[in-house]
Amino acid sequence: LVSGGILVLDFLLCLLLVPSRAHTHKLFRSPATAEQITPSMASANFEYPEFYSFQPFFTIQPVLATREKQMGLWRDLILKYYTELRIKTLVVHECPLWKNPDIGRELDNDAIMAVMEDFVKGGHGEWEDPDVRTRCRILWRKPEQLASDIYDWAEANGYINSVCTVYELHSGEDINGMSFEGADEELLRRALNILEDQGKCTVFKGDTSSEDGIKFF
């Protein structure tokens, strides 16, 4: 079977032999002004998985079972990239993942949209503009996962029956390295709503939205 001049069998072997090792892949780019900085410039040393260097990875595979594995790898890569670099929004036309200049391969527009639709369907992304689908909010953690992380943090740091602010929850000194550090405030509030429904916290109004208080139970 041939897809885009590439043997599908080769891609199957890639999937079966994907090693746990990662390598540092530096994207080539021209100098940019501050206004032009894109996610690809956020880190010069993001470690890409080995399969990112396989040419068939950039061609949507025609065999369903193979394509499902391929889409799973794309989901994992997108989430890892945007979570590790703490980037909240994927701008479709700016995403550096679609092109690997080292091997001269890139996804075409139809393939990009197929990958993005699958990513959103998987629950780790939401279209900010569903009518045109150019910007996707990245959910570093799903709201349910984030709610659990927040409550575990509150228990571990003595916040049960105590109060903190929404600002402290995403930008405070006590949350370094936590999954919700720097998280989108809207996503944080959705996680807090889950905890409220579970009877584990209550949120009350402050002078500003960032000063809203949270009491954990």
Side-chain angles (χ1 to χ4, degrees):
L1 293 174
V2 178
S3 174
I6 298 173
L7 290 174
V8 175
L9 178 59
D10 289 344
F11 187 69
L12 280 168
L13 291 174
C14 293
L15 293 178
L16 291 173
L17 298 175
V18 170
S20 59
R21 302 189 312 275
H23 67 282
T24 300
H25 169 82
K26 296 183 179 180
L27 293 170
F28 296 98
R29 49 187 176 261
S30 57
T33 65
E35 292 77 19
Q36 295 171 322
I37 292 175
T38 68
S40 64
M41 301 174 190
S43 172
N45 296 304
F46 177 76
E47 290 190 344
Y48 285 68
E50 186 109 358
F51 62 75
Y52 191 70
S53 292
F54 287 110
Q55 291 187 356
F57 185 59
F58 293 86
T59 299
I60 300 300
Q61 299 300 303
V63 178
L64 179 59
T66 307
R67 184 166 65 251
E68 288 176 347
K69 294 178 182 178
Q70 179 187 24
M71 289 298 180
L73 293 176
W74 273 111
R75 286 195 302 270
D76 293 344
L77 176 61
I78 293 169
L79 185 61
K80 175 181 170 67
Y81 184 91
Y82 281 82
T83 299
E84 287 192 5
L85 299 185
R86 313 307 284 176
I87 302 171
K88 301 175 184 179
T89 301
L90 185 160
V91 180
V92 175
H93 70 277
E94 293 179 356
C95 178
L97 298 178
W98 311 143
K99 182 177 182 178
N100 185 341
D102 288 353
I103 61 172
R105 296 291 294 173
E106 63 182 294
L107 292 178
D108 62 29
N109 289 336
D110 289 342
I112 290 171
M113 292 314 301
V115 168
M116 286 304 305
E117 291 296 342
D118 178 81
F119 183 76
V120 170
K121 184 179 178 181
H124 275 291
E126 297 176 343
W127 290 115
E128 295 182 355
D129 52 357
D131 292 336
V132 291
R133 297 179 298 177
T134 63
R135 296 175 60 86
C136 180
R137 176 185 291 113
I138 302 297
L139 308 183
W140 301 335
R141 299 273 281 168
K142 294 179 181 179
E144 298 81 5
Q145 297 170 324
L146 209 58
S148 178
D149 292 346
I150 291 171
Y151 195 76
D152 288 346
W153 167 84
E155 284 188 314
N157 289 274
Y159 279 98
I160 302 301
N161 294 317
S162 295
V163 175
C164 72
T165 65
V166 171
Y167 175 82
E168 289 174 316
L169 199 56
H170 62 69
S171 300
E173 296 179 357
D174 295 336
I175 51 88
N176 289 339
M178 302 303 297
S179 64
F180 45 88
E181 180 183 4
D184 184 88
E185 187 172 315
E186 179 183 340
L187 180 58
L188 276 181
R189 290 183 180 277
R190 286 160 60 181
L192 291 172
N193 286 341
I194 292 172
L195 292 178
E196 280 194 297
D197 290 342
Q198 294 172 347
K200 293 181 176 179
C201 83
T202 187
V203 179
F204 50 91
K205 291 291 184 182
D207 292 336
T208 66
S209 62
S210 290
E211 293 176 348
D212 285 356
I214 310 150
K215 184 171 184 178
F216 295 97
F217 305 111

